[in-house]
């Protein structure tokens, strides 16, 4: 950011002395302009360019402002620095904070009480990994503070509707969605399903054009993982880029869709002879939705929690929910896809 300020000041001096230098004014404006992106049905602005995300097609009102600052090790706490989520009271309310890191790497996050501003400071991390963290639990926290319903889910497009697959971490949400994407069903969102309440229905907002997959799933469904970038350097999960041409397999759908069904992935069953589905009644469905809100680390204030609970109860009444029973065998993914598609 300092470089941008220096360039702007330098150009300002020159334009006063050399009128012809005004040709560089558009460059100055470009350098000092924040970047805007579309994700989860909102517009996010950042003071630095962010990889992975889809740039906004037009300049519009910002829903979340992200302030990025990269530090250096000499100015940071060199002690082992792992704290997790915590709350920080300030004059204007409770800020939701995240602190992660070790001897060399560090990442600190503050989210405003209304979820409309995010501050991220980091040391010795590539911007791609900072962005990957941002579009996961960080933005999920901000959106829930804004009153939006967020589920830990992967979502696919089937017959102009959205099918959500929810489950705990490692349950196989992205892998199941990837198996369907390989068959030509576009991905609408991965990791987070952000829902818009339309009264008698719910829309799922599009995420970003990538899918997060473990190495084993990549090898089973896609091929060699070596050509794919890692989500985080310390994990074996990779980003699979999705096409946006809406024609080829591994596609991404960039428009909201009505939610037609929710499939819940429980624990894999070693004894399962074949994948099957079981209807979940609304009373049990709302418990599943509460369990799979994203992120679970966020504890909302009482009024916001009660409002969210009421919406989740109506969601369970409106949208069919089914428990997906399956074994622990990647070779069975084709049969799992068939069961899901037959249910629609």
């Amino acid at each position: 950011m300092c470089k941008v300020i220096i360039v702007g000041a330098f150009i300002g001096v020159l334009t006063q002395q050399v009128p012809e230098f005004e040709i560089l004014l558009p460059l100055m404006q470009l350098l000092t302009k924040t970047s805007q992106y579309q994700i989860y049905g909102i517009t996010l602005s950042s003071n630095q360019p962010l990889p992975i995300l889809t740039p906004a097609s037009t300049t519009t009102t910002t829903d979340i402002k992200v302030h990025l600052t990269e530090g250096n090790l000499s100015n940071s706490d060199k002690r082992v620095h792992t704290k997790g989520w915590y709350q920080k009271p300030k004059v204007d309310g409770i800020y939701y904070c995240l602190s992660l890191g070790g001897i060399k790497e560090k990442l600190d996050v503050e989210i405003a009480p209304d979820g409309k501003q995010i501050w991220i400071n980091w040391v010795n991390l590539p911007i791609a990994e900072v962005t990957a963290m941002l579009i996961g639990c960080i933005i999920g926290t901000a959106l829930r503070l804004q009153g939006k319903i967020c589920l830990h889910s992967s979502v696919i497009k089937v017959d102009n509707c959205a099918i959500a697959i929810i489950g705990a971490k490692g349950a196989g949400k992205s892998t199941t969605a990837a198996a369907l994407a390989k068959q030509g069903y576009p991905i609408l969102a991965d990791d987070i399903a952000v829902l818009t309440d339309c009264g008698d229905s719910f829309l799922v907002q599009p995420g970003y054009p990538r899918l997060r997959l473990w190495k084993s799933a990549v090898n089973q469904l896609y091929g060699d993982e070596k050509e794919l970038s890692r989500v985080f350097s310390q994990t074996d999960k990779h980003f699979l880029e999705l096409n946006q041409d809406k024609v080829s397999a591994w596609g991404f759908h960039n428009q909201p869709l009505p939610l037609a069904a929710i499939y819940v992935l429980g624990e894999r069953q070693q004894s399962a002879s074949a994948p099957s589905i079981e209807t979940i009644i609304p009373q049990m469905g709302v418990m599943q939705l509460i369990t799979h809100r994203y992120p679970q680390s966020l504890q909302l204030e009482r009024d916001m929690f009660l409002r969210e609970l009421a919406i989740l109860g109506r969601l369970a009444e409106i949208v069919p929910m089914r428990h997906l029973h399956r074994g622990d065998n990647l070779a069975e993914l084709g049969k799992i896809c068939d069961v899901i598609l037959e249910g629609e």
Side-chain angles (χ1 to χ4, degrees):
M1 190 64 185
C2 291
K3 293 180 180 178
V4 172
I5 295 173
I6 292 170
V7 170
F10 178 63
I11 292 177
V13 171
L14 287 176
T15 53
Q16 292 177 3
Q17 299 179 4
V18 186
E20 292 80 4
F21 210 77
E22 291 179 357
I23 194 172
L24 289 181
L25 279 175
L27 174 61
M28 180 189 73
Q29 295 169 351
L30 178 64
L31 288 171
T32 57
K33 181 181 179 182
T34 58
S35 301
Q36 285 193 325
Y37 302 92
Q38 298 289 338
I39 184 171
Y40 302 131
I42 58 104
T43 299
L44 179 149
S45 71
S46 169
N47 62 324
Q48 294 188 34
L50 295 170
I52 304 173
L53 301 187
T54 302
S57 55
T58 59
T59 302
T60 184
T61 303
T62 295
D63 299 293
I64 297 179
K65 292 183 179 179
V66 180
H67 310 272
L68 299 169
T69 304
E70 184 175 8
N72 57 71
L73 196 59
S74 61
N75 295 329
S76 68
D77 186 353
K78 296 182 180 180
R79 297 171 298 174
V80 174
H81 189 89
T82 302
K83 191 170 185 178
W85 285 98
Y86 62 99
Q87 296 182 3
K88 181 187 293 185
K90 292 188 178 182
V91 175
D92 57 339
I94 302 295
Y95 281 67
Y96 294 81
C97 305
L98 174 66
S99 191
L100 298 172
I103 297 175
K104 294 183 178 180
E105 300 84 14
K106 177 181 175 182
L107 182 136
D108 288 315
V109 179
E110 284 193 7
I111 304 173
D114 61 2
K116 293 184 178 181
Q117 294 199 76
I118 299 171
W119 292 265
I120 303 179
N121 299 271
W122 77 94
V123 178
N124 288 344
L125 288 170
I127 186 65
E129 293 193 20
V130 175
T131 304
M133 182 70 72
L134 167 66
I135 60 181
C137 61
I138 297 173
I139 199 170
T141 297
L143 290 172
R144 283 187 65 201
L145 288 172
Q146 291 189 17
K148 299 185 184 299
I149 300 298
C150 301
L151 300 177
H152 200 186
S153 172
S154 293
V155 188
I156 57 168
K157 174 182 179 289
V158 178
D159 296 334
N160 292 319
C161 291
I163 306 299
I165 303 167
I166 69 174
K169 182 178 180 180
K173 300 179 295 297
S174 296
T175 301
T176 305
L180 287 158
K182 186 178 181 181
Q183 295 187 21
Y185 295 93
I187 298 294
L188 183 64
D190 186 42
D191 203 31
I192 310 178
V194 179
L195 307 186
T196 298
D197 184 358
C198 300
D200 58 352
S201 64
F202 289 84
L203 290 177
V204 183
Q205 298 295 336
Y208 52 90
R210 292 195 182 186
L211 191 60
R212 304 181 186 214
L213 291 176
W214 292 106
K215 175 183 175 181
S216 57
V218 173
N219 296 159
Q220 178 71 29
L221 296 167
Y222 180 80
D224 194 341
E225 83 285 352
K226 293 180 181 178
E227 61 185 86
L228 305 178
S229 61
R230 289 177 182 260
V231 178
F232 301 109
S233 58
Q234 71 273 24
T235 70
D236 209 12
K237 184 170 280 190
H238 298 74
F239 270 133
L240 195 159
E241 294 193 29
L242 302 171
N243 303 309
Q244 300 189 62
D245 56 17
K246 302 181 182 178
V247 176
S248 59
W250 302 105
F252 174 70
H253 186 77
N254 63 2
Q255 298 297 320
L257 290 173
L259 181 59
I262 300 173
Y263 286 83
V264 180
L265 299 184
E267 293 184 3
R268 296 178 180 87
Q269 301 171 340
Q270 298 289 344
S271 59
S273 57
S276 63
I277 56 174
E278 176 187 4
T279 299
I280 300 175
I281 62 174
Q283 294 87 339
M284 298 302 296
V286 69
M287 298 304 298
Q288 291 285 353
L289 295 173
I290 291 171
T291 300
H292 298 300
R293 291 170 299 167
Y294 188 82
Q296 275 293 317
S297 56
L298 175 61
Q299 300 299 314
L300 294 173
E301 294 181 359
R302 184 176 182 275
D303 289 347
M304 291 190 69
F305 169 73
L306 291 176
R307 175 186 174 277
E308 186 180 73
L309 185 61
I311 296 174
L312 293 177
R314 194 154 42 80
L315 173 61
E317 290 281 354
I318 293 173
V319 178
M321 295 184 63
R322 302 168 184 132
H323 196 115
L324 178 59
H325 301 283
R326 83 282 191 220
D328 190 13
N329 186 351
L330 288 174
E332 297 291 313
L333 282 170
K335 294 180 180 178
I336 292 173
C337 292
D338 292 341
V339 168
I340 293 174
L341 295 172
E342 287 170 5
E344 305 311 310

